[in-house]
């Protein structure tokens, strides 16, 4: 796997600040992958590519999604904020010829999460919150949690996203609900067992 090759390609597709973010997410993904036993090369690749289409216009994103044979739900169609994760996973397949399902899925679900997240999904989801360039209120809390438990950090990230969306009266993706419910149930079960 040659990340430099992909870095050069995506640096042409985005402003310097987003390219920097992509490199930071890749770096944080590598750190988390080493810590939690995920595939380090895949983590770096998915980190570099996760926002590949974030600056791509809507019609082009839709075309990538169609070319990859992905069917959007009505809610996804109505939520442009969700498009770049989906079109990013389409882009790496149809334009870059990447066939690794784990990398494709980690990009596809990096914003929403989902039920049944793989280890790589979790690493990319959390790295996008905790990368060096992030400075939102609450980031240090998620960083601290990520140092102790990847699952707890995923749950924290999902609850952060859901609270933020709910406060702004925006829709919450069903994948986020499903992921949150699964992780919250897992947490409740493990707390019960620890008693
Ligand atoms: Fe993103
Ligand atoms: Fe990102």
């Amino acid at each position: 796997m040659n990340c430099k090759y992909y870095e050069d390609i995506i640096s042409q597709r985005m402003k310097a600040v987003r390219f920097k973010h992509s490199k930071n997410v890749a770096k944080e993904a590598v750190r988390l992958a080493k810590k939690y036993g995920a595939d380090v090369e895949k983590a770096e690749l998915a980190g570099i590519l996760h926002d590949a289409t974030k600056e791509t216009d809507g019609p082009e994103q839709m075309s990538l999604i169609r070319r990859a044979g992905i069917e959007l739900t009505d809610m996804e169609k109505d939520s442009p904020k969700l498009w770049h994760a989906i079109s990013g996973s389409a882009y790496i397949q149809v334009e870059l010829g990447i066939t690794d399902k784990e990398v494709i899925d980690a990009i596809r679900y990096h914003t929403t999460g989902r039920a049944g997240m793989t280890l790589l999904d979790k690493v990319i989801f959390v790295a996008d919150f905790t990368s060096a360039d992030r400075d939102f209120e609450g980031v240090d809390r998620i960083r601290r949690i990520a140092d102790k438990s990847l699952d707890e950090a995923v749950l924290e990230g999902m609850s952060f996203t859901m609270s933020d969306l709910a406060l702004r009266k925006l829709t919450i993706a069903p994948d986020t609900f499903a992921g949150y419910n699964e992780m919250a149930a897992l947490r409740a079960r493990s707390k019960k067992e620890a008693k």
Side-chain angles (χ1 to χ4, degrees), residues 14-17 20 27 33 35-36 46 56 60 74 80-81 84 89 93 105 111 114 123 132 135 140 154 175 189 195:
M14 56 185 66
K15 295 189 190 89
V17 64
K20 185 104 209 308
K27 200 171 165 195
K35 185 170 171 66
Y36 291 107
T56 304
E60 197 187 330
D74 286 342
K81 283 209 153 207
H84 83 280
S89 77
Q93 295 177 75
D105 282 346
T111 316
R114 60 166 166 165
V123 161
D135 61 358
D140 285 334
V154 170
D175 279 328
R189 219 175 303 138
K195 267 186 192 167

Side-chain angles (χ1 to χ4, degrees), residues 61-73 76 86-87 89-91 93-95 104 108:
Q61 289 193 64
M62 282 300 163
S63 150
L64 287 163
I65 289 168
R66 255 194 312 274
R67 283 168 60 202
I70 300 169
E71 291 266 0
L72 295 185
T73 63
E76 284 166 343
I86 305 169
S87 64
S89 77
Y91 167 80
Q93 295 177 75
V94 299
E95 292 287 343
I104 294 166
R108 167 77 174 77

Side-chain angles (χ1 to χ4, degrees), residues 50-51 54 84 110-111 128:
H50 81 288
D51 275 342
K54 193 137 186 190
H84 83 280
H110 83 263
T111 316
D128 198 23

Side-chain angles (χ1 to χ4, degrees), residues 125 150-160 179-180 183-184 187:
F125 181 85
L150 188 63
D151 281 351
E152 285 283 321
V154 170
L155 188 59
E156 188 65 26
M158 282 174 173
S159 84
F160 178 91
Y180 172 85
M183 302 297 286
R187 181 179 199 267

Side-chain angles (χ1 to χ4, degrees), residues 16-183:
V17 64
R18 194 175 312 281
F19 181 59
K20 185 104 209 308
H21 165 69
S22 303
K23 295 227 306 182
N24 284 334
V25 170
K27 200 171 165 195
E28 173 71 350
V30 165
R31 190 183 76 82
L32 292 170
K34 284 181 180 159
K35 185 170 171 66
Y36 291 107
D39 186 306
V40 172
E41 282 193 10
K42 289 184 188 187
E44 185 174 19
L45 182 64
I48 273 293
L49 295 175
H50 81 288
D51 275 342
T53 56
K54 193 137 186 190
E55 294 180 18
T56 304
D57 63 32
E60 197 187 330
Q61 289 193 64
M62 282 300 163
S63 150
L64 287 163
I65 289 168
R66 255 194 312 274
R67 283 168 60 202
I70 300 169
E71 291 266 0
L72 295 185
T73 63
D74 286 342
M75 192 192 154
E76 284 166 343
K77 277 184 207 147
D78 290 339
S79 313
K81 283 209 153 207
L82 300 180
W83 292 357
H84 83 280
I86 305 169
S87 64
S89 77
Y91 167 80
I92 70 160
Q93 295 177 75
V94 299
E95 292 287 343
L96 304 182
I98 291 174
T99 55
D100 189 306
K101 193 168 173 346
E102 277 186 280
V103 173
I104 294 166
D105 282 346
I107 292 176
R108 167 77 174 77
Y109 297 103
H110 83 263
T111 316
T112 56
R114 60 166 166 165
M117 286 173 87
T118 66
L119 187 54
L120 194 68
D121 287 356
K122 292 173 184 173
V123 161
I124 299 301
F125 181 85
V126 172
D128 198 23
F129 273 99
T130 57
S131 65
D133 52 297
R134 295 299 200 196
D135 61 358
F136 59 91
E137 213 186 306
V139 67
D140 285 334
R141 181 178 152 78
I142 302 187
R143 285 194 182 117
R144 270 197 309 277
I145 295 170
D147 274 338
K148 295 205 190 83
S149 160
L150 188 63
D151 281 351
E152 285 283 321
V154 170
L155 188 59
E156 188 65 26
M158 282 174 173
S159 84
F160 178 91
T161 299
M162 290 168 70
S163 316
D164 179 57
L165 291 170
L167 281 172
R168 294 190 285 143
K169 310 288 186 288
L170 297 172
T171 52
I172 297 172
D175 279 328
T176 306
F177 270 121
Y180 172 85
N181 280 336
E182 187 183 78
M183 302 297 286

